[in-house]
Amino acid sequence: MDTPVTTFNESPDDPFAVRRAACGVLDDRGRIVGWSKRAEALLGYRPDEVLGRPAVGFLLDPRDHEFVMDSVAECVRDQGWYGIVPVRHRDGRRMEFGCRTRVVARGEDSPREWFLVAAPAEEVIQWETDRSVLDGLFRRSPIGLSVHAPDLTILRVNRAIARFSEISVEQHRGLRTSDFLIQQDTDTVERQLREVLQTGQSSIFTEQPARLRRDPGRELVVSVSAFRMHDSSGRILGVTQTVEDVTDRYRARRRLALLNEASARIGTTLDVAKTADELAGVAVPDLADCVSVDLLEPVTRGEEPTQGGVLGPLRRTAVRSILSDTAEVMYPLGHTIHVPPETMQARCLAERRPILDAHMEGANTWLTMDPDRAERALALGIHSLMVVPLVARGLVLGLISMWRSRRLEPFEEDDLTLAEEFASRAAVCIDNARRYTQEHEAALTLQHSLLPHEVPGHPAVEVAHRYLPADATTGVGGDWFDVIPLSGLRVALVVGDVVGHGIHAAATMGRLRTAVHTLANLDLTPDEVLSNLDDLVDRLAAEQEPTDERSPQVVGATCLYAVYDPVSRHCALARAGHPPPAVVTPDGRVHLLDIPAGPPLGLGGLPFEAAELQLAEGSLLALYTDGLIRGRKRDVDESLADLSGALAAPARSLEDTCRAVEVALLHDRPTDDVADDVALLIARTRVLAAEQVATWELRVEPTAAARARALVASQLAQWGLDEMAFTTELIVSELVTNAYRYGGGPITLRLIRDGHLICEVSDTGSTSPHLRRARSTDEGGRGLFLVAQLTERWGTRYTRDGKTIWTEQPV
């Protein structure tokens, strides 16, 4: 097979190319025997003017004679010469030319001739400069340079590439990139080179991994630029690429990016566990293959951790890993970890400094914490460990542990510095979350102590309720509701709203709620309760400093107070600047009660009026605060219409009714500062059966007590409560006797049987009975003392027509 002949064209930039250079031939005596057209063009002498003449005679300026003769002597000695020589132009100008001279011998006996090639000196100097640069790129440049043939085999590399690959420059010829880079990175490099060869578009500063086959675990990143090579005719000769090791710069940039990411991702919430998980999520997989965050147990509860001495146990709070078998070797979330004092983790916590174990040299101490799990972890290839404490405000909160397994290079000091920065930022966020949790728990404890946890069942009503504070994060607000048992199986239903929301409003609400309970126990009418509450709000406002930012002045509150009697179905209501309640009749009709609005609490001096009505059994009474009907996207009339629609739905449980009201009115509730607290209380009325109540009217006469005892004994016998007859007769006898002596007629006696046996004696007098300690010589004064000893509770309530003294005995 014939071997194809490869031809090359002269470079258009070569000053000694035949087409660009002046050529001449001198005989052994220095006479010109050859003269090219290019020489004629550059120096102006025609061939007939120079052939046969000595070159020194007319081509040299006399001032340059000595220098030229020294060069001629050097040329004769060395059989050639290369340098800059001054020459005189035909017009007399002095010109400098770069000249190459070589001896030409026709035969052993033939005289020597000298072949000269010359070009303007500035062109030759530029050419030599370019050649020096090219030589520097291959011999002295710190940036790698490799030249590839069209099939991507290596034609030539410089010494920087040889140092990188640890293969000599000569040995690279004919190799491919895959001979010293791992296949994955080779594919990346060759894909780029092929693209440059095919398109002719150069690639500039492309960063890519370049891990060596002899050390695949070492991370190397290079910046590569490549361009296609052509000869003077445009034929593709191959591709050349420059390679610069930018591993340190890449790592620094990656660490900076990780820090920026950590700033954005860590601390997005005020939740301790979530913040710990965000810390672990930032570190995996860019810094570590596996990360665990362990916090001191008090920190996870929002408490301040104890410091000094031996720190308490840790609780596993977050785990992130790229290893599929992590669950088998890592403690699960929530696990309590007791750290032995000789371990790296214990040292880290005690000394408050990070510890790097790049090659697991301290594995023995690490294994002591849980040898079985640690052995399995080492079997997974874990080979490098960092432990960094979480410290904020001088408090040790816990620690973060980082492992490497799949990434073969160990942790280094720069990684430890980065982990310290992560831990420092995360510790501040965790501490803020811890302190918020502590304050949040305190606020919730306050709120829970102020509001009823569970409304107890009551024979008068069935109730359901909702409470939604404006600030859902703290869970505290100024609205409240209450269901307060009263004497005679009556019940008080209360809904109130302190102006504002937050913990200050909640504290004021607690004081008002306590006051309402106290006033309710006095069996005052609704309007009297509100009048006394109005005075209290006025006093509270006077007590507070208006300029005290920590305790904003209370400027008012609203309240709705209702009392329902299941025996008479009578309901009395009064409101102080509060939205009117809604009543739903058993047949589903809804109407808002027309109750005198009354002024808000705290204005002082203005009267409150009560309204009274009869409620059929099974009626719904809905009490609510204005946060329910004053949404940002609706007016009050629309809200009231939606409320009526939700309440009028077909018969269902009260919980379903509460949910329906929530859906109808709170689906577009704002979540910002525009929101208001919401309290909702829905009660379904009950009526006590007639056979559970017995009522008699007694004449005011000396035999009234005896008559009362007989009636009570007979009624208790019918109810099967004979064992309570003796005690009840004593109680009734004393109460009726007091009514006969100190009250006015007529006297009404009523017995109510439910969970308790209730005895009520009413008269038209207004004298308040009270206990007193009778002396041994007194003939009376022991009756009420006896009543108090025989009953569970007793008291007095006043009506428009007089008073009622009541007692309760457990059945």
Side-chain angles (χ1 to χ4, degrees), residues 644-678:
S644 298
L647 293 173
R652 52 189 166 177
S653 70
L654 292 187
E655 281 296 322
D656 289 340
T657 301
C658 284
R659 279 192 289 270
V661 172
E662 276 191 277
V663 171
L665 285 93
L666 300 179
H667 64 277
D668 58 350
R669 181 173 184 245
T671 57
D672 52 21
D673 291 338
V674 181
D676 195 6
D677 304 322
V678 174

mmCIF file of all heavy atoms in Angstrom, residues 644-678:
data_model
loop_
_atom_site.group_PDB
_atom_site.id
_atom_site.type_symbol
_atom_site.label_atom_id
_atom_site.label_comp_id
_atom_site.label_asym_id
_atom_site.label_seq_id
_atom_site.Cartn_x
_atom_site.Cartn_y
_atom_site.Cartn_z
ATOM 1 N N SER A 644 -76.079 33.785 59.556
ATOM 2 C CA SER A 644 -77.442 33.254 59.631
ATOM 3 C C SER A 644 -77.587 32.017 58.773
ATOM 4 O O SER A 644 -78.209 31.021 59.171
ATOM 5 C CB SER A 644 -78.440 34.333 59.198
ATOM 6 O OG SER A 644 -78.374 35.458 60.059
ATOM 7 N N GLY A 645 -76.988 32.048 57.586
ATOM 8 C CA GLY A 645 -77.066 30.887 56.703
ATOM 9 C C GLY A 645 -76.397 29.668 57.293
ATOM 10 O O GLY A 645 -76.895 28.541 57.173
ATOM 11 N N ALA A 646 -75.246 29.870 57.949
ATOM 12 C CA ALA A 646 -74.534 28.739 58.552
ATOM 13 C C ALA A 646 -75.297 28.176 59.743
ATOM 14 O O ALA A 646 -75.329 26.961 59.960
ATOM 15 C CB ALA A 646 -73.132 29.179 58.970
ATOM 16 N N LEU A 647 -75.942 29.063 60.520
ATOM 17 C CA LEU A 647 -76.674 28.602 61.700
ATOM 18 C C LEU A 647 -77.982 27.916 61.333
ATOM 19 O O LEU A 647 -78.479 27.062 62.072
ATOM 20 C CB LEU A 647 -76.960 29.778 62.638
ATOM 21 C CG LEU A 647 -75.743 30.435 63.306
ATOM 22 C CD1 LEU A 647 -76.170 31.682 64.067
ATOM 23 C CD2 LEU A 647 -75.059 29.449 64.257
ATOM 24 N N ALA A 648 -78.593 28.293 60.196
ATOM 25 C CA ALA A 648 -79.913 27.786 59.823
ATOM 26 C C ALA A 648 -79.861 26.454 59.098
ATOM 27 O O ALA A 648 -80.896 25.927 58.685
ATOM 28 C CB ALA A 648 -80.631 28.807 58.950
ATOM 29 N N ALA A 649 -78.672 25.902 58.921
ATOM 30 C CA ALA A 649 -78.560 24.620 58.216
ATOM 31 C C ALA A 649 -79.337 23.548 58.974
ATOM 32 O O ALA A 649 -79.619 23.698 60.161
ATOM 33 C CB ALA A 649 -77.090 24.234 58.082
ATOM 34 N N PRO A 650 -79.701 22.458 58.307
ATOM 35 C CA PRO A 650 -80.494 21.395 58.957
ATOM 36 C C PRO A 650 -79.835 20.897 60.226
ATOM 37 O O PRO A 650 -78.633 21.056 60.455
ATOM 38 C CB PRO A 650 -80.555 20.303 57.885
ATOM 39 C CG PRO A 650 -80.361 21.025 56.602
ATOM 40 C CD PRO A 650 -79.450 22.173 56.883
ATOM 41 N N ALA A 651 -80.644 20.262 61.081
ATOM 42 C CA ALA A 651 -80.202 19.814 62.400
ATOM 43 C C ALA A 651 -78.949 18.959 62.305
ATOM 44 O O ALA A 651 -78.845 18.061 61.465
ATOM 45 C CB ALA A 651 -81.320 19.031 63.077
ATOM 46 N N ARG A 652 -77.989 19.240 63.154
ATOM 47 C CA ARG A 652 -76.728 18.508 63.198
ATOM 48 C C ARG A 652 -76.075 18.784 64.541
ATOM 49 O O ARG A 652 -76.634 19.495 65.379
ATOM 50 C CB ARG A 652 -75.814 18.973 62.065
ATOM 51 C CG ARG A 652 -75.645 20.476 62.042
ATOM 52 C CD ARG A 652 -74.934 20.931 60.817
ATOM 53 N NE ARG A 652 -75.057 22.374 60.637
ATOM 54 C CZ ARG A 652 -74.485 23.040 59.682
ATOM 55 N NH1 ARG A 652 -73.742 22.413 58.791
ATOM 56 N NH2 ARG A 652 -74.633 24.344 59.573
ATOM 57 N N SER A 653 -74.885 18.267 64.757
ATOM 58 C CA SER A 653 -74.208 18.499 66.031
ATOM 59 C C SER A 653 -73.731 19.941 66.105
ATOM 60 O O SER A 653 -73.533 20.614 65.082
ATOM 61 C CB SER A 653 -73.023 17.546 66.181
ATOM 62 O OG SER A 653 -71.996 17.906 65.286
ATOM 63 N N LEU A 654 -73.519 20.395 67.335
ATOM 64 C CA LEU A 654 -73.038 21.769 67.502
ATOM 65 C C LEU A 654 -71.622 21.931 66.952
ATOM 66 O O LEU A 654 -71.254 23.012 66.483
ATOM 67 C CB LEU A 654 -73.076 22.139 68.991
ATOM 68 C CG LEU A 654 -74.464 22.274 69.625
ATOM 69 C CD1 LEU A 654 -74.345 22.799 71.050
ATOM 70 C CD2 LEU A 654 -75.358 23.194 68.802
ATOM 71 N N GLU A 655 -70.803 20.877 67.014
ATOM 72 C CA GLU A 655 -69.467 20.950 66.427
ATOM 73 C C GLU A 655 -69.557 21.181 64.924
ATOM 74 O O GLU A 655 -68.795 21.961 64.353
ATOM 75 C CB GLU A 655 -68.682 19.673 66.735
ATOM 76 C CG GLU A 655 -68.104 19.605 68.125
ATOM 77 C CD GLU A 655 -67.066 20.692 68.365
ATOM 78 O OE1 GLU A 655 -66.293 20.997 67.421
ATOM 79 O OE2 GLU A 655 -67.032 21.241 69.476
ATOM 80 N N ASP A 656 -70.486 20.497 64.271
ATOM 81 C CA ASP A 656 -70.684 20.722 62.832
ATOM 82 C C ASP A 656 -71.120 22.157 62.569
ATOM 83 O O ASP A 656 -70.701 22.774 61.580
ATOM 84 C CB ASP A 656 -71.732 19.750 62.281
ATOM 85 C CG ASP A 656 -71.230 18.326 62.230
ATOM 86 O OD1 ASP A 656 -69.995 18.142 62.244
ATOM 87 O OD2 ASP A 656 -72.054 17.395 62.202
ATOM 88 N N THR A 657 -71.968 22.687 63.435
ATOM 89 C CA THR A 657 -72.418 24.068 63.265
ATOM 90 C C THR A 657 -71.242 25.034 63.412
ATOM 91 O O THR A 657 -71.096 25.986 62.624
ATOM 92 C CB THR A 657 -73.501 24.400 64.304
ATOM 93 O OG1 THR A 657 -74.594 23.498 64.151
ATOM 94 C CG2 THR A 657 -73.998 25.823 64.118
ATOM 95 N N CYS A 658 -70.369 24.793 64.392
ATOM 96 C CA CYS A 658 -69.181 25.641 64.553
ATOM 97 C C CYS A 658 -68.294 25.600 63.314
ATOM 98 O O CYS A 658 -67.796 26.631 62.835
ATOM 99 C CB CYS A 658 -68.379 25.210 65.780
ATOM 100 S SG CYS A 658 -69.105 25.714 67.352
ATOM 101 N N ARG A 659 -68.114 24.389 62.770
ATOM 102 C CA ARG A 659 -67.288 24.262 61.559
ATOM 103 C C ARG A 659 -67.929 24.993 60.391
ATOM 104 O O ARG A 659 -67.245 25.625 59.584
ATOM 105 C CB ARG A 659 -67.065 22.787 61.222
ATOM 106 C CG ARG A 659 -65.969 22.128 62.036
ATOM 107 C CD ARG A 659 -65.599 20.771 61.470
ATOM 108 N NE ARG A 659 -66.661 19.796 61.709
ATOM 109 C CZ ARG A 659 -66.731 19.033 62.785
ATOM 110 N NH1 ARG A 659 -65.815 19.139 63.731
ATOM 111 N NH2 ARG A 659 -67.713 18.156 62.925
ATOM 112 N N ALA A 660 -69.252 24.906 60.281
ATOM 113 C CA ALA A 660 -69.943 25.599 59.195
ATOM 114 C C ALA A 660 -69.766 27.107 59.310
ATOM 115 O O ALA A 660 -69.567 27.811 58.302
ATOM 116 C CB ALA A 660 -71.429 25.230 59.207
ATOM 117 N N VAL A 661 -69.821 27.635 60.527
ATOM 118 C CA VAL A 661 -69.608 29.072 60.730
ATOM 119 C C VAL A 661 -68.182 29.451 60.354
ATOM 120 O O VAL A 661 -67.949 30.483 59.702
ATOM 121 C CB VAL A 661 -69.908 29.447 62.194
ATOM 122 C CG1 VAL A 661 -69.498 30.899 62.465
ATOM 123 C CG2 VAL A 661 -71.384 29.257 62.507
ATOM 124 N N GLU A 662 -67.206 28.617 60.725
ATOM 125 C CA GLU A 662 -65.812 28.883 60.366
ATOM 126 C C GLU A 662 -65.636 28.951 58.851
ATOM 127 O O GLU A 662 -65.011 29.872 58.319
ATOM 128 C CB GLU A 662 -64.913 27.787 60.927
ATOM 129 C CG GLU A 662 -64.504 27.976 62.362
ATOM 130 C CD GLU A 662 -63.416 26.997 62.743
ATOM 131 O OE1 GLU A 662 -63.770 25.853 63.083
ATOM 132 O OE2 GLU A 662 -62.231 27.373 62.687
ATOM 133 N N VAL A 663 -66.202 27.986 58.162
ATOM 134 C CA VAL A 663 -66.047 27.932 56.703
ATOM 135 C C VAL A 663 -66.714 29.145 56.060
ATOM 136 O O VAL A 663 -66.185 29.755 55.124
ATOM 137 C CB VAL A 663 -66.645 26.623 56.159
ATOM 138 C CG1 VAL A 663 -66.700 26.653 54.633
ATOM 139 C CG2 VAL A 663 -65.836 25.431 56.640
ATOM 140 N N ALA A 664 -67.880 29.511 56.565
ATOM 141 C CA ALA A 664 -68.645 30.595 55.941
ATOM 142 C C ALA A 664 -68.017 31.962 56.174
ATOM 143 O O ALA A 664 -68.046 32.823 55.282
ATOM 144 C CB ALA A 664 -70.089 30.577 56.458
ATOM 145 N N LEU A 665 -67.423 32.186 57.342
ATOM 146 C CA LEU A 665 -66.976 33.533 57.676
ATOM 147 C C LEU A 665 -65.472 33.700 57.814
ATOM 148 O O LEU A 665 -64.985 34.834 57.748
ATOM 149 C CB LEU A 665 -67.630 33.989 58.992
ATOM 150 C CG LEU A 665 -69.103 34.383 58.882
ATOM 151 C CD1 LEU A 665 -70.018 33.228 59.192
ATOM 152 C CD2 LEU A 665 -69.418 35.564 59.777
ATOM 153 N N LEU A 666 -64.728 32.621 57.985
ATOM 154 C CA LEU A 666 -63.306 32.772 58.267
ATOM 155 C C LEU A 666 -62.411 32.211 57.179
ATOM 156 O O LEU A 666 -61.197 32.142 57.362
ATOM 157 C CB LEU A 666 -62.966 32.088 59.607
ATOM 158 C CG LEU A 666 -63.715 32.628 60.826
ATOM 159 C CD1 LEU A 666 -63.308 31.859 62.070
ATOM 160 C CD2 LEU A 666 -63.456 34.113 61.011
ATOM 161 N N HIS A 667 -62.965 31.794 56.035
ATOM 162 C CA HIS A 667 -62.112 31.232 54.984
ATOM 163 C C HIS A 667 -61.178 32.274 54.393
ATOM 164 O O HIS A 667 -60.104 31.948 53.887
ATOM 165 C CB HIS A 667 -62.971 30.612 53.870
ATOM 166 C CG HIS A 667 -63.816 31.612 53.134
ATOM 167 N ND1 HIS A 667 -65.043 32.026 53.620
ATOM 168 C CD2 HIS A 667 -63.609 32.285 51.972
ATOM 169 C CE1 HIS A 667 -65.573 32.898 52.763
ATOM 170 N NE2 HIS A 667 -64.716 33.081 51.773
ATOM 171 N N ASP A 668 -61.576 33.559 54.421
ATOM 172 C CA ASP A 668 -60.721 34.617 53.887
ATOM 173 C C ASP A 668 -60.177 35.493 54.997
ATOM 174 O O ASP A 668 -59.858 36.659 54.788
ATOM 175 C CB ASP A 668 -61.491 35.474 52.882
ATOM 176 C CG ASP A 668 -62.739 36.118 53.496
ATOM 177 O OD1 ASP A 668 -63.091 35.743 54.634
ATOM 178 O OD2 ASP A 668 -63.339 36.988 52.849
ATOM 179 N N ARG A 669 -60.065 34.918 56.186
ATOM 180 C CA ARG A 669 -59.585 35.699 57.329
ATOM 181 C C ARG A 669 -58.144 36.124 57.100
ATOM 182 O O ARG A 669 -57.285 35.307 56.771
ATOM 183 C CB ARG A 669 -59.662 34.849 58.601
ATOM 184 C CG ARG A 669 -59.216 35.560 59.873
ATOM 185 C CD ARG A 669 -59.519 34.661 61.065
ATOM 186 N NE ARG A 669 -59.204 35.312 62.321
ATOM 187 C CZ ARG A 669 -58.264 34.907 63.162
ATOM 188 N NH1 ARG A 669 -57.536 33.842 62.856
ATOM 189 N NH2 ARG A 669 -58.052 35.531 64.298
ATOM 190 N N PRO A 670 -57.813 37.417 57.247
ATOM 191 C CA PRO A 670 -56.435 37.860 57.037
ATOM 192 C C PRO A 670 -55.512 37.270 58.084
ATOM 193 O O PRO A 670 -55.925 36.957 59.205
ATOM 194 C CB PRO A 670 -56.526 39.390 57.158
ATOM 195 C CG PRO A 670 -57.761 39.635 57.963
ATOM 196 C CD PRO A 670 -58.708 38.520 57.608
ATOM 197 N N THR A 671 -54.243 37.123 57.704
ATOM 198 C CA THR A 671 -53.261 36.537 58.620
ATOM 199 C C THR A 671 -52.264 37.575 59.112
ATOM 200 O O THR A 671 -51.316 37.226 59.780
ATOM 201 C CB THR A 671 -52.492 35.414 57.904
ATOM 202 O OG1 THR A 671 -51.883 35.946 56.718
ATOM 203 C CG2 THR A 671 -53.421 34.285 57.536
ATOM 204 N N ASP A 672 -52.472 38.842 58.763
ATOM 205 C CA ASP A 672 -51.541 39.882 59.209
ATOM 206 C C ASP A 672 -52.144 40.648 60.376
ATOM 207 O O ASP A 672 -53.068 40.194 61.036
ATOM 208 C CB ASP A 672 -51.184 40.818 58.047
ATOM 209 C CG ASP A 672 -52.442 41.354 57.358
ATOM 210 O OD1 ASP A 672 -53.512 41.337 58.009
ATOM 211 O OD2 ASP A 672 -52.360 41.783 56.204
ATOM 212 N N ASP A 673 -51.608 41.859 60.594
ATOM 213 C CA ASP A 673 -52.053 42.651 61.739
ATOM 214 C C ASP A 673 -53.490 43.124 61.609
ATOM 215 O O ASP A 673 -54.063 43.657 62.558
ATOM 216 C CB ASP A 673 -51.137 43.868 61.913
ATOM 217 C CG ASP A 673 -49.750 43.450 62.356
ATOM 218 O OD1 ASP A 673 -49.632 42.344 62.907
ATOM 219 O OD2 ASP A 673 -48.802 44.222 62.152
ATOM 220 N N VAL A 674 -54.103 42.992 60.420
ATOM 221 C CA VAL A 674 -55.487 43.398 60.253
ATOM 222 C C VAL A 674 -56.419 42.430 60.972
ATOM 223 O O VAL A 674 -57.546 42.766 61.331
ATOM 224 C CB VAL A 674 -55.835 43.472 58.745
ATOM 225 C CG1 VAL A 674 -57.270 43.905 58.534
ATOM 226 C CG2 VAL A 674 -54.880 44.443 58.048
ATOM 227 N N ALA A 675 -55.969 41.199 61.202
ATOM 228 C CA ALA A 675 -56.827 40.179 61.792
ATOM 229 C C ALA A 675 -57.179 40.541 63.231
ATOM 230 O O ALA A 675 -56.465 41.273 63.909
ATOM 231 C CB ALA A 675 -56.137 38.822 61.753
ATOM 232 N N ASP A 676 -58.309 40.004 63.684
ATOM 233 C CA ASP A 676 -58.758 40.216 65.047
ATOM 234 C C ASP A 676 -59.030 38.854 65.676
ATOM 235 O O ASP A 676 -59.257 37.861 64.985
ATOM 236 C CB ASP A 676 -60.026 41.083 65.060
ATOM 237 C CG ASP A 676 -60.334 41.628 66.447
ATOM 238 O OD1 ASP A 676 -59.511 41.429 67.354
ATOM 239 O OD2 ASP A 676 -61.398 42.248 66.618
ATOM 240 N N ASP A 677 -59.005 38.847 67.011
ATOM 241 C CA ASP A 677 -59.336 37.610 67.713
ATOM 242 C C ASP A 677 -60.795 37.234 67.438
ATOM 243 O O ASP A 677 -61.639 38.092 67.194
ATOM 244 C CB ASP A 677 -59.145 37.792 69.215
ATOM 245 C CG ASP A 677 -57.733 38.256 69.566
ATOM 246 O OD1 ASP A 677 -56.797 37.781 68.920
ATOM 247 O OD2 ASP A 677 -57.594 39.096 70.470
ATOM 248 N N VAL A 678 -61.064 35.937 67.495
ATOM 249 C CA VAL A 678 -62.418 35.437 67.257
ATOM 250 C C VAL A 678 -62.789 34.485 68.387
ATOM 251 O O VAL A 678 -62.036 33.560 68.704
ATOM 252 C CB VAL A 678 -62.526 34.704 65.905
ATOM 253 C CG1 VAL A 678 -63.910 34.072 65.757
ATOM 254 C CG2 VAL A 678 -62.270 35.667 64.755
#
